[in-house]
Amino acid sequence: EGLLHLFAPASRRRLHAAALQFVDKRNPEDARTLARIARHAEGSGAHARAAEAYLALADSAARRHRLLEAEANYSAALGFLEPASFAQERAYAGRGQARALIDRYDDAILDLERAVQLATGRNDKRTEADLLLDLATLHDLRSAYDASAAAMERAATIVDGLDEPRLSARVDAARGRTLRGRGKTAEAV
């Protein structure tokens, strides 16, 4: 690995491709193996495989609450994903959620807004509503109650057409937070 920089670019790509063939046969659930797969796929030009490995690493890190690691791997995946794909939506949503949990609210909002756009483009109403409710929560945390109310109302319109008790409960909670934020505590309860 440390000697790769000594080789010409074409030779490096071939070495990465050979290493990718070797590590790709191992247990892809292991984080160290996934990291090697991502690195060698990236180096060999196998961008789809690199994106897949980086997404798996990011999801694994997020499940283990390793938020900086998750954010870095979602960012790496985004560099290789096809535009407007479900995987890109997933990466923006995951990175947005990781950023929110490390108090990077402005960046999280941008990521979640992009994920909402992609879900809207795919006509995935459940995911769109879920992401809008995540956005409403972030806006509440920043005391941006008008933005929160707009996201919540947009989600509520979508949820009204679905039979989704979980999303309906999230809309009610978001509506209560918005009312409380506007000083209407009695109405919020």
mmCIF file with all atom_site columns, all heavy atoms in Angstrom, residues 109 113 132 135-140 142-154 178 182:
data_model
loop_
_atom_site.group_PDB
_atom_site.id
_atom_site.type_symbol
_atom_site.label_atom_id
_atom_site.label_alt_id
_atom_site.label_comp_id
_atom_site.label_asym_id
_atom_site.label_entity_id
_atom_site.label_seq_id
_atom_site.pdbx_PDB_ins_code
_atom_site.Cartn_x
_atom_site.Cartn_y
_atom_site.Cartn_z
_atom_site.occupancy
_atom_site.B_iso_or_equiv
_atom_site.pdbx_formal_charge
_atom_site.auth_seq_id
_atom_site.auth_comp_id
_atom_site.auth_asym_id
_atom_site.auth_atom_id
_atom_site.pdbx_PDB_model_num
ATOM 1   N N   . ILE A 1 109 ? -29.358 19.977 7.211  1.00 0.00 ? 109 ILE A N   1
ATOM 2   C CA  . ILE A 1 109 ? -30.560 20.465 6.522  1.00 0.00 ? 109 ILE A CA  1
ATOM 3   C C   . ILE A 1 109 ? -30.358 20.404 5.008  1.00 0.00 ? 109 ILE A C   1
ATOM 4   O O   . ILE A 1 109 ? -31.238 19.951 4.271  1.00 0.00 ? 109 ILE A O   1
ATOM 5   C CB  . ILE A 1 109 ? -30.929 21.884 7.004  1.00 0.00 ? 109 ILE A CB  1
ATOM 6   C CG1 . ILE A 1 109 ? -31.526 21.787 8.417  1.00 0.00 ? 109 ILE A CG1 1
ATOM 7   C CG2 . ILE A 1 109 ? -31.898 22.568 6.048  1.00 0.00 ? 109 ILE A CG2 1
ATOM 8   C CD1 . ILE A 1 109 ? -31.683 23.119 9.125  1.00 0.00 ? 109 ILE A CD1 1
ATOM 9   N N   . GLU A 1 113 ? -32.616 18.118 2.619  1.00 0.00 ? 113 GLU A N   1
ATOM 10  C CA  . GLU A 1 113 ? -33.392 18.749 1.547  1.00 0.00 ? 113 GLU A CA  1
ATOM 11  C C   . GLU A 1 113 ? -33.100 18.064 0.209  1.00 0.00 ? 113 GLU A C   1
ATOM 12  O O   . GLU A 1 113 ? -34.008 17.839 -0.593 1.00 0.00 ? 113 GLU A O   1
ATOM 13  C CB  . GLU A 1 113 ? -33.082 20.247 1.463  1.00 0.00 ? 113 GLU A CB  1
ATOM 14  C CG  . GLU A 1 113 ? -33.727 21.046 2.577  1.00 0.00 ? 113 GLU A CG  1
ATOM 15  C CD  . GLU A 1 113 ? -33.291 22.509 2.604  1.00 0.00 ? 113 GLU A CD  1
ATOM 16  O OE1 . GLU A 1 113 ? -32.257 22.858 1.978  1.00 0.00 ? 113 GLU A OE1 1
ATOM 17  O OE2 . GLU A 1 113 ? -33.981 23.297 3.278  1.00 0.00 ? 113 GLU A OE2 1
ATOM 18  N N   . LEU A 1 132 ? -39.103 14.804 5.406  1.00 0.00 ? 132 LEU A N   1
ATOM 19  C CA  . LEU A 1 132 ? -39.644 16.133 5.731  1.00 0.00 ? 132 LEU A CA  1
ATOM 20  C C   . LEU A 1 132 ? -39.828 16.300 7.242  1.00 0.00 ? 132 LEU A C   1
ATOM 21  O O   . LEU A 1 132 ? -39.568 17.376 7.794  1.00 0.00 ? 132 LEU A O   1
ATOM 22  C CB  . LEU A 1 132 ? -40.974 16.356 5.005  1.00 0.00 ? 132 LEU A CB  1
ATOM 23  C CG  . LEU A 1 132 ? -40.860 16.672 3.520  1.00 0.00 ? 132 LEU A CG  1
ATOM 24  C CD1 . LEU A 1 132 ? -42.213 16.526 2.833  1.00 0.00 ? 132 LEU A CD1 1
ATOM 25  C CD2 . LEU A 1 132 ? -40.295 18.080 3.318  1.00 0.00 ? 132 LEU A CD2 1
ATOM 26  N N   . LEU A 1 135 ? -36.554 16.961 8.719  1.00 0.00 ? 135 LEU A N   1
ATOM 27  C CA  . LEU A 1 135 ? -36.230 18.371 8.478  1.00 0.00 ? 135 LEU A CA  1
ATOM 28  C C   . LEU A 1 135 ? -36.956 19.276 9.465  1.00 0.00 ? 135 LEU A C   1
ATOM 29  O O   . LEU A 1 135 ? -36.364 20.230 9.984  1.00 0.00 ? 135 LEU A O   1
ATOM 30  C CB  . LEU A 1 135 ? -36.641 18.764 7.057  1.00 0.00 ? 135 LEU A CB  1
ATOM 31  C CG  . LEU A 1 135 ? -35.598 18.695 5.977  1.00 0.00 ? 135 LEU A CG  1
ATOM 32  C CD1 . LEU A 1 135 ? -36.215 19.002 4.617  1.00 0.00 ? 135 LEU A CD1 1
ATOM 33  C CD2 . LEU A 1 135 ? -34.449 19.629 6.257  1.00 0.00 ? 135 LEU A CD2 1
ATOM 34  N N   . ALA A 1 136 ? -38.214 18.994 9.712  1.00 0.00 ? 136 ALA A N   1
ATOM 35  C CA  . ALA A 1 136 ? -38.984 19.800 10.665 1.00 0.00 ? 136 ALA A CA  1
ATOM 36  C C   . ALA A 1 136 ? -38.321 19.773 12.042 1.00 0.00 ? 136 ALA A C   1
ATOM 37  O O   . ALA A 1 136 ? -38.211 20.811 12.707 1.00 0.00 ? 136 ALA A O   1
ATOM 38  C CB  . ALA A 1 136 ? -40.428 19.298 10.747 1.00 0.00 ? 136 ALA A CB  1
ATOM 39  N N   . THR A 1 137 ? -37.866 18.609 12.442 1.00 0.00 ? 137 THR A N   1
ATOM 40  C CA  . THR A 1 137 ? -37.180 18.486 13.736 1.00 0.00 ? 137 THR A CA  1
ATOM 41  C C   . THR A 1 137 ? -35.922 19.338 13.770 1.00 0.00 ? 137 THR A C   1
ATOM 42  O O   . THR A 1 137 ? -35.649 20.050 14.745 1.00 0.00 ? 137 THR A O   1
ATOM 43  C CB  . THR A 1 137 ? -36.835 17.015 14.026 1.00 0.00 ? 137 THR A CB  1
ATOM 44  O OG1 . THR A 1 137 ? -38.048 16.255 14.040 1.00 0.00 ? 137 THR A OG1 1
ATOM 45  C CG2 . THR A 1 137 ? -36.127 16.858 15.352 1.00 0.00 ? 137 THR A CG2 1
ATOM 46  N N   . LEU A 1 138 ? -35.131 19.278 12.714 1.00 0.00 ? 138 LEU A N   1
ATOM 47  C CA  . LEU A 1 138 ? -33.904 20.080 12.659 1.00 0.00 ? 138 LEU A CA  1
ATOM 48  C C   . LEU A 1 138 ? -34.216 21.569 12.704 1.00 0.00 ? 138 LEU A C   1
ATOM 49  O O   . LEU A 1 138 ? -33.529 22.330 13.386 1.00 0.00 ? 138 LEU A O   1
ATOM 50  C CB  . LEU A 1 138 ? -33.108 19.757 11.394 1.00 0.00 ? 138 LEU A CB  1
ATOM 51  C CG  . LEU A 1 138 ? -32.377 18.429 11.394 1.00 0.00 ? 138 LEU A CG  1
ATOM 52  C CD1 . LEU A 1 138 ? -31.695 18.196 10.060 1.00 0.00 ? 138 LEU A CD1 1
ATOM 53  C CD2 . LEU A 1 138 ? -31.359 18.381 12.510 1.00 0.00 ? 138 LEU A CD2 1
ATOM 54  N N   . HIS A 1 139 ? -35.243 21.983 11.974 1.00 0.00 ? 139 HIS A N   1
ATOM 55  C CA  . HIS A 1 139 ? -35.617 23.398 12.014 1.00 0.00 ? 139 HIS A CA  1
ATOM 56  C C   . HIS A 1 139 ? -36.071 23.806 13.420 1.00 0.00 ? 139 HIS A C   1
ATOM 57  O O   . HIS A 1 139 ? -35.755 24.907 13.882 1.00 0.00 ? 139 HIS A O   1
ATOM 58  C CB  . HIS A 1 139 ? -36.698 23.695 10.985 1.00 0.00 ? 139 HIS A CB  1
ATOM 59  C CG  . HIS A 1 139 ? -36.216 23.704 9.574  1.00 0.00 ? 139 HIS A CG  1
ATOM 60  N ND1 . HIS A 1 139 ? -35.154 24.468 9.136  1.00 0.00 ? 139 HIS A ND1 1
ATOM 61  C CD2 . HIS A 1 139 ? -36.641 23.022 8.479  1.00 0.00 ? 139 HIS A CD2 1
ATOM 62  C CE1 . HIS A 1 139 ? -34.965 24.281 7.850  1.00 0.00 ? 139 HIS A CE1 1
ATOM 63  N NE2 . HIS A 1 139 ? -35.842 23.392 7.423  1.00 0.00 ? 139 HIS A NE2 1
ATOM 64  N N   . ASP A 1 140 ? -36.781 22.915 14.105 1.00 0.00 ? 140 ASP A N   1
ATOM 65  C CA  . ASP A 1 140 ? -37.176 23.197 15.496 1.00 0.00 ? 140 ASP A CA  1
ATOM 66  C C   . ASP A 1 140 ? -35.953 23.378 16.383 1.00 0.00 ? 140 ASP A C   1
ATOM 67  O O   . ASP A 1 140 ? -35.920 24.271 17.231 1.00 0.00 ? 140 ASP A O   1
ATOM 68  C CB  . ASP A 1 140 ? -38.043 22.063 16.059 1.00 0.00 ? 140 ASP A CB  1
ATOM 69  C CG  . ASP A 1 140 ? -39.480 22.131 15.578 1.00 0.00 ? 140 ASP A CG  1
ATOM 70  O OD1 . ASP A 1 140 ? -39.954 23.247 15.275 1.00 0.00 ? 140 ASP A OD1 1
ATOM 71  O OD2 . ASP A 1 140 ? -40.121 21.073 15.496 1.00 0.00 ? 140 ASP A OD2 1
ATOM 72  N N   . ARG A 1 142 ? -33.202 24.543 15.631 1.00 0.00 ? 142 ARG A N   1
ATOM 73  C CA  . ARG A 1 142 ? -32.583 25.832 15.313 1.00 0.00 ? 142 ARG A CA  1
ATOM 74  C C   . ARG A 1 142 ? -33.535 26.990 15.585 1.00 0.00 ? 142 ARG A C   1
ATOM 75  O O   . ARG A 1 142 ? -33.245 28.131 15.263 1.00 0.00 ? 142 ARG A O   1
ATOM 76  C CB  . ARG A 1 142 ? -32.157 25.854 13.852 1.00 0.00 ? 142 ARG A CB  1
ATOM 77  C CG  . ARG A 1 142 ? -31.084 24.805 13.556 1.00 0.00 ? 142 ARG A CG  1
ATOM 78  C CD  . ARG A 1 142 ? -30.603 24.855 12.128 1.00 0.00 ? 142 ARG A CD  1
ATOM 79  N NE  . ARG A 1 142 ? -29.849 26.084 11.919 1.00 0.00 ? 142 ARG A NE  1
ATOM 80  C CZ  . ARG A 1 142 ? -30.191 27.025 11.040 1.00 0.00 ? 142 ARG A CZ  1
ATOM 81  N NH1 . ARG A 1 142 ? -31.262 26.893 10.308 1.00 0.00 ? 142 ARG A NH1 1
ATOM 82  N NH2 . ARG A 1 142 ? -29.455 28.097 10.895 1.00 0.00 ? 142 ARG A NH2 1
ATOM 83  N N   . SER A 1 143 ? -34.696 26.698 16.165 1.00 0.00 ? 143 SER A N   1
ATOM 84  C CA  . SER A 1 143 ? -35.739 27.702 16.445 1.00 0.00 ? 143 SER A CA  1
ATOM 85  C C   . SER A 1 143 ? -36.230 28.382 15.171 1.00 0.00 ? 143 SER A C   1
ATOM 86  O O   . SER A 1 143 ? -36.656 29.542 15.199 1.00 0.00 ? 143 SER A O   1
ATOM 87  C CB  . SER A 1 143 ? -35.239 28.750 17.458 1.00 0.00 ? 143 SER A CB  1
ATOM 88  O OG  . SER A 1 143 ? -34.874 28.118 18.656 1.00 0.00 ? 143 SER A OG  1
ATOM 89  N N   . ALA A 1 144 ? -36.190 27.680 14.069 1.00 0.00 ? 144 ALA A N   1
ATOM 90  C CA  . ALA A 1 144 ? -36.700 28.175 12.791 1.00 0.00 ? 144 ALA A CA  1
ATOM 91  C C   . ALA A 1 144 ? -38.109 27.609 12.622 1.00 0.00 ? 144 ALA A C   1
ATOM 92  O O   . ALA A 1 144 ? -38.340 26.691 11.834 1.00 0.00 ? 144 ALA A O   1
ATOM 93  C CB  . ALA A 1 144 ? -35.784 27.758 11.651 1.00 0.00 ? 144 ALA A CB  1
ATOM 94  N N   . TYR A 1 145 ? -39.042 28.173 13.382 1.00 0.00 ? 145 TYR A N   1
ATOM 95  C CA  . TYR A 1 145 ? -40.381 27.582 13.483 1.00 0.00 ? 145 TYR A CA  1
ATOM 96  C C   . TYR A 1 145 ? -41.183 27.702 12.196 1.00 0.00 ? 145 TYR A C   1
ATOM 97  O O   . TYR A 1 145 ? -41.998 26.827 11.895 1.00 0.00 ? 145 TYR A O   1
ATOM 98  C CB  . TYR A 1 145 ? -41.122 28.175 14.673 1.00 0.00 ? 145 TYR A CB  1
ATOM 99  C CG  . TYR A 1 145 ? -40.382 27.916 15.960 1.00 0.00 ? 145 TYR A CG  1
ATOM 100 C CD1 . TYR A 1 145 ? -39.862 28.961 16.710 1.00 0.00 ? 145 TYR A CD1 1
ATOM 101 C CD2 . TYR A 1 145 ? -40.150 26.616 16.401 1.00 0.00 ? 145 TYR A CD2 1
ATOM 102 C CE1 . TYR A 1 145 ? -39.154 28.720 17.884 1.00 0.00 ? 145 TYR A CE1 1
ATOM 103 C CE2 . TYR A 1 145 ? -39.435 26.362 17.549 1.00 0.00 ? 145 TYR A CE2 1
ATOM 104 C CZ  . TYR A 1 145 ? -38.940 27.415 18.291 1.00 0.00 ? 145 TYR A CZ  1
ATOM 105 O OH  . TYR A 1 145 ? -38.227 27.173 19.434 1.00 0.00 ? 145 TYR A OH  1
ATOM 106 N N   . ASP A 1 146 ? -40.975 28.749 11.419 1.00 0.00 ? 146 ASP A N   1
ATOM 107 C CA  . ASP A 1 146 ? -41.700 28.858 10.150 1.00 0.00 ? 146 ASP A CA  1
ATOM 108 C C   . ASP A 1 146 ? -41.247 27.769 9.175  1.00 0.00 ? 146 ASP A C   1
ATOM 109 O O   . ASP A 1 146 ? -42.071 27.144 8.511  1.00 0.00 ? 146 ASP A O   1
ATOM 110 C CB  . ASP A 1 146 ? -41.496 30.245 9.532  1.00 0.00 ? 146 ASP A CB  1
ATOM 111 C CG  . ASP A 1 146 ? -42.215 31.340 10.311 1.00 0.00 ? 146 ASP A CG  1
ATOM 112 O OD1 . ASP A 1 146 ? -43.168 31.017 11.063 1.00 0.00 ? 146 ASP A OD1 1
ATOM 113 O OD2 . ASP A 1 146 ? -41.828 32.513 10.168 1.00 0.00 ? 146 ASP A OD2 1
ATOM 114 N N   . ALA A 1 147 ? -39.937 27.550 9.096  1.00 0.00 ? 147 ALA A N   1
ATOM 115 C CA  . ALA A 1 147 ? -39.414 26.486 8.227  1.00 0.00 ? 147 ALA A CA  1
ATOM 116 C C   . ALA A 1 147 ? -39.880 25.123 8.720  1.00 0.00 ? 147 ALA A C   1
ATOM 117 O O   . ALA A 1 147 ? -40.219 24.245 7.921  1.00 0.00 ? 147 ALA A O   1
ATOM 118 C CB  . ALA A 1 147 ? -37.890 26.553 8.175  1.00 0.00 ? 147 ALA A CB  1
ATOM 119 N N   . SER A 1 148 ? -39.903 24.951 10.032 1.00 0.00 ? 148 SER A N   1
ATOM 120 C CA  . SER A 1 148 ? -40.380 23.698 10.607 1.00 0.00 ? 148 SER A CA  1
ATOM 121 C C   . SER A 1 148 ? -41.845 23.463 10.247 1.00 0.00 ? 148 SER A C   1
ATOM 122 O O   . SER A 1 148 ? -42.225 22.361 9.846  1.00 0.00 ? 148 SER A O   1
ATOM 123 C CB  . SER A 1 148 ? -40.208 23.712 12.131 1.00 0.00 ? 148 SER A CB  1
ATOM 124 O OG  . SER A 1 148 ? -40.787 22.558 12.691 1.00 0.00 ? 148 SER A OG  1
ATOM 125 N N   . ALA A 1 149 ? -42.656 24.521 10.408 1.00 0.00 ? 149 ALA A N   1
ATOM 126 C CA  . ALA A 1 149 ? -44.083 24.396 10.104 1.00 0.00 ? 149 ALA A CA  1
ATOM 127 C C   . ALA A 1 149 ? -44.300 24.067 8.628  1.00 0.00 ? 149 ALA A C   1
ATOM 128 O O   . ALA A 1 149 ? -45.160 23.237 8.294  1.00 0.00 ? 149 ALA A O   1
ATOM 129 C CB  . ALA A 1 149 ? -44.813 25.676 10.479 1.00 0.00 ? 149 ALA A CB  1
ATOM 130 N N   . ALA A 1 150 ? -43.506 24.671 7.743  1.00 0.00 ? 150 ALA A N   1
ATOM 131 C CA  . ALA A 1 150 ? -43.653 24.405 6.307  1.00 0.00 ? 150 ALA A CA  1
ATOM 132 C C   . ALA A 1 150 ? -43.328 22.946 5.994  1.00 0.00 ? 150 ALA A C   1
ATOM 133 O O   . ALA A 1 150 ? -44.073 22.285 5.254  1.00 0.00 ? 150 ALA A O   1
ATOM 134 C CB  . ALA A 1 150 ? -42.740 25.340 5.512  1.00 0.00 ? 150 ALA A CB  1
ATOM 135 N N   . ALA A 1 151 ? -42.240 22.431 6.565  1.00 0.00 ? 151 ALA A N   1
ATOM 136 C CA  . ALA A 1 151 ? -41.871 21.029 6.340  1.00 0.00 ? 151 ALA A CA  1
ATOM 137 C C   . ALA A 1 151 ? -42.928 20.093 6.923  1.00 0.00 ? 151 ALA A C   1
ATOM 138 O O   . ALA A 1 151 ? -43.316 19.096 6.299  1.00 0.00 ? 151 ALA A O   1
ATOM 139 C CB  . ALA A 1 151 ? -40.497 20.740 6.931  1.00 0.00 ? 151 ALA A CB  1
ATOM 140 N N   . MET A 1 152 ? -43.400 20.437 8.125  1.00 0.00 ? 152 MET A N   1
ATOM 141 C CA  . MET A 1 152 ? -44.416 19.602 8.777  1.00 0.00 ? 152 MET A CA  1
ATOM 142 C C   . MET A 1 152 ? -45.717 19.593 7.981  1.00 0.00 ? 152 MET A C   1
ATOM 143 O O   . MET A 1 152 ? -46.319 18.532 7.780  1.00 0.00 ? 152 MET A O   1
ATOM 144 C CB  . MET A 1 152 ? -44.653 20.117 10.206 1.00 0.00 ? 152 MET A CB  1
ATOM 145 C CG  . MET A 1 152 ? -45.706 19.353 10.988 1.00 0.00 ? 152 MET A CG  1
ATOM 146 S SD  . MET A 1 152 ? -47.374 20.029 10.814 1.00 0.00 ? 152 MET A SD  1
ATOM 147 C CE  . MET A 1 152 ? -47.169 21.676 11.447 1.00 0.00 ? 152 MET A CE  1
ATOM 148 N N   . GLU A 1 153 ? -46.152 20.744 7.505  1.00 0.00 ? 153 GLU A N   1
ATOM 149 C CA  . GLU A 1 153 ? -47.406 20.814 6.745  1.00 0.00 ? 153 GLU A CA  1
ATOM 150 C C   . GLU A 1 153 ? -47.294 20.048 5.426  1.00 0.00 ? 153 GLU A C   1
ATOM 151 O O   . GLU A 1 153 ? -48.238 19.371 5.020  1.00 0.00 ? 153 GLU A O   1
ATOM 152 C CB  . GLU A 1 153 ? -47.807 22.273 6.486  1.00 0.00 ? 153 GLU A CB  1
ATOM 153 C CG  . GLU A 1 153 ? -48.284 23.001 7.724  1.00 0.00 ? 153 GLU A CG  1
ATOM 154 C CD  . GLU A 1 153 ? -49.522 22.386 8.376  1.00 0.00 ? 153 GLU A CD  1
ATOM 155 O OE1 . GLU A 1 153 ? -50.299 21.668 7.707  1.00 0.00 ? 153 GLU A OE1 1
ATOM 156 O OE2 . GLU A 1 153 ? -49.712 22.614 9.584  1.00 0.00 ? 153 GLU A OE2 1
ATOM 157 N N   . ARG A 1 154 ? -46.148 20.154 4.796  1.00 0.00 ? 154 ARG A N   1
ATOM 158 C CA  . ARG A 1 154 ? -45.938 19.407 3.553  1.00 0.00 ? 154 ARG A CA  1
ATOM 159 C C   . ARG A 1 154 ? -45.993 17.901 3.830  1.00 0.00 ? 154 ARG A C   1
ATOM 160 O O   . ARG A 1 154 ? -46.629 17.142 3.085  1.00 0.00 ? 154 ARG A O   1
ATOM 161 C CB  . ARG A 1 154 ? -44.589 19.805 2.943  1.00 0.00 ? 154 ARG A CB  1
ATOM 162 C CG  . ARG A 1 154 ? -44.365 19.281 1.573  1.00 0.00 ? 154 ARG A CG  1
ATOM 163 C CD  . ARG A 1 154 ? -43.152 19.904 0.928  1.00 0.00 ? 154 ARG A CD  1
ATOM 164 N NE  . ARG A 1 154 ? -42.634 19.007 -0.090 1.00 0.00 ? 154 ARG A NE  1
ATOM 165 C CZ  . ARG A 1 154 ? -41.409 19.001 -0.529 1.00 0.00 ? 154 ARG A CZ  1
ATOM 166 N NH1 . ARG A 1 154 ? -40.532 19.860 -0.054 1.00 0.00 ? 154 ARG A NH1 1
ATOM 167 N NH2 . ARG A 1 154 ? -41.023 18.141 -1.450 1.00 0.00 ? 154 ARG A NH2 1
ATOM 168 N N   . THR A 1 178 ? -44.050 22.646 16.872 1.00 0.00 ? 178 THR A N   1
ATOM 169 C CA  . THR A 1 178 ? -44.194 23.942 16.206 1.00 0.00 ? 178 THR A CA  1
ATOM 170 C C   . THR A 1 178 ? -45.057 24.884 17.041 1.00 0.00 ? 178 THR A C   1
ATOM 171 O O   . THR A 1 178 ? -44.706 26.053 17.225 1.00 0.00 ? 178 THR A O   1
ATOM 172 C CB  . THR A 1 178 ? -44.795 23.757 14.795 1.00 0.00 ? 178 THR A CB  1
ATOM 173 O OG1 . THR A 1 178 ? -43.903 22.955 14.024 1.00 0.00 ? 178 THR A OG1 1
ATOM 174 C CG2 . THR A 1 178 ? -45.010 25.084 14.104 1.00 0.00 ? 178 THR A CG2 1
ATOM 175 N N   . ARG A 1 182 ? -43.924 28.417 19.011 1.00 0.00 ? 182 ARG A N   1
ATOM 176 C CA  . ARG A 1 182 ? -44.589 29.688 18.775 1.00 0.00 ? 182 ARG A CA  1
ATOM 177 C C   . ARG A 1 182 ? -45.285 30.218 20.035 1.00 0.00 ? 182 ARG A C   1
ATOM 178 O O   . ARG A 1 182 ? -46.052 31.184 19.955 1.00 0.00 ? 182 ARG A O   1
ATOM 179 C CB  . ARG A 1 182 ? -45.592 29.549 17.637 1.00 0.00 ? 182 ARG A CB  1
ATOM 180 C CG  . ARG A 1 182 ? -44.932 29.338 16.296 1.00 0.00 ? 182 ARG A CG  1
ATOM 181 C CD  . ARG A 1 182 ? -45.901 29.238 15.182 1.00 0.00 ? 182 ARG A CD  1
ATOM 182 N NE  . ARG A 1 182 ? -45.199 29.278 13.907 1.00 0.00 ? 182 ARG A NE  1
ATOM 183 C CZ  . ARG A 1 182 ? -45.737 28.903 12.762 1.00 0.00 ? 182 ARG A CZ  1
ATOM 184 N NH1 . ARG A 1 182 ? -46.989 28.461 12.736 1.00 0.00 ? 182 ARG A NH1 1
ATOM 185 N NH2 . ARG A 1 182 ? -45.051 28.969 11.664 1.00 0.00 ? 182 ARG A NH2 1
#
